[in-house]
Amino acid sequence: MKRLMIICACVLFGLAVRADADVTVTVDPGKPWIGYMNVFELPENGGAYLWGSPWGTADLRAWFSGDKLNLAPNSINDPSSYWYTPSGGPGSTGNKTMDANFYVEDASLPGEYVIFKGEILSNTLVQPYTAQAFIKEFSADYSTWTSATWDLEPGPFEISLQTSPGTHVQYGFETIGPCVWITDAASKGTVTLKSETSSGGET
């Protein structure tokens, strides 16, 4: 009987440790946000993945202003027909799908149960533009990943993912759709979220 009681105590202790290890992250402007762009052909041109590379966060059209985070469709300041049809200028049509990733990669998160939460204040994006919150866990070589996502409709959001040691964990936002000439960008809409300074790690 005594041995059984010790085993039960260990199980309960393990559950307590699991609860204490949950880590909550927020839309915190003080974190080191990173930009990464993935570029695809338009769906009508086959939708193939073309390339991806790090971008400055301002080039993603993702920015903090006061107590808000704003996400908007990407604009390329290059009139080449690679980016626009027939070429760049007011009223032109984007010729590539831009998957703009604005995120934090935190080396302390692998192995934790990660909770990402915040509040979407508004979403005025027009079709075909979309935006999501995400937590992504990549393998050690970034070749495979799993994710949890949330479509950015007005109201609170909360997503979670149990992660494993030795991986790469990112949380943030994706804004996806054709590139748009900057003078036409306002007509495509914006997502606005409330920013919040993290209260400090584990919960």
Side-chain angles (χ1 to χ4, degrees):
M1 175 66 88
K2 186 176 181 180
R3 183 180 179 186
L4 179 60
M5 291 175 65
I6 292 172
I7 292 171
C8 290
C10 289
V11 170
L12 291 173
F13 177 76
L15 291 174
V17 170
R18 164 64 176 77
D20 288 343
D22 293 359
V23 178
T24 298
V25 295
T26 61
V27 187
D28 185 349
K31 296 295 185 181
W33 293 84
I34 299 167
Y36 195 93
M37 183 68 75
N38 292 302
V39 180
F40 299 79
E41 293 286 7
L42 296 176
E44 56 266 38
N45 295 329
Y49 177 74
L50 298 174
W51 52 270
S53 67
W55 281 35
T57 55
D59 294 330
L60 298 182
R61 300 197 69 225
W63 68 98
F64 287 99
S65 177
D67 63 350
K68 297 179 177 62
L69 169 64
N70 302 287
L71 306 170
N74 191 252
S75 180
I76 305 293
N77 186 28
D78 181 346
S80 166
S81 59
Y82 180 86
W83 296 111
Y84 298 99
T85 302
S87 62
S92 61
T93 301
N95 196 36
K96 295 292 182 288
T97 296
M98 315 299 287
D99 175 3
N101 290 257
F102 180 67
Y103 65 95
V104 174
E105 183 166 336
D106 188 337
S108 73
L109 295 179
E112 306 288 2
Y113 185 81
V114 181
I115 302 167
F116 180 30
K117 65 181 182 179
E119 182 179 356
I120 303 110
L121 300 176
S122 65
N123 182 345
T124 60
L125 293 177
V126 300
Q127 290 294 329
Y129 298 94
T130 62
Q132 290 185 323
F134 67 77
I135 304 171
K136 295 180 182 178
E137 181 183 33
F138 291 85
S139 59
D141 62 359
Y142 290 95
S143 62
T144 60
W145 68 91
T146 58
S147 65
T149 63
W150 187 291
D151 293 334
L152 296 185
E153 298 300 332
F157 75 88
E158 181 173 318
I159 51 178
S160 59
L161 187 68
Q162 176 63 59
T163 66
S164 301
T167 59
H168 305 279
V169 178
Q170 302 173 356
Y171 64 89
F173 304 97
E174 280 183 280
T175 306
I176 302 174
C179 48
V180 56
W181 194 251
I182 191 60
T183 55
D184 302 326
S187 66
K188 307 304 180 184
T190 305
V191 178
T192 302
L193 299 100
K194 182 178 180 181
S195 62
E196 177 184 359
T197 301
S198 298
S199 57
E202 299 180 356
T203 60

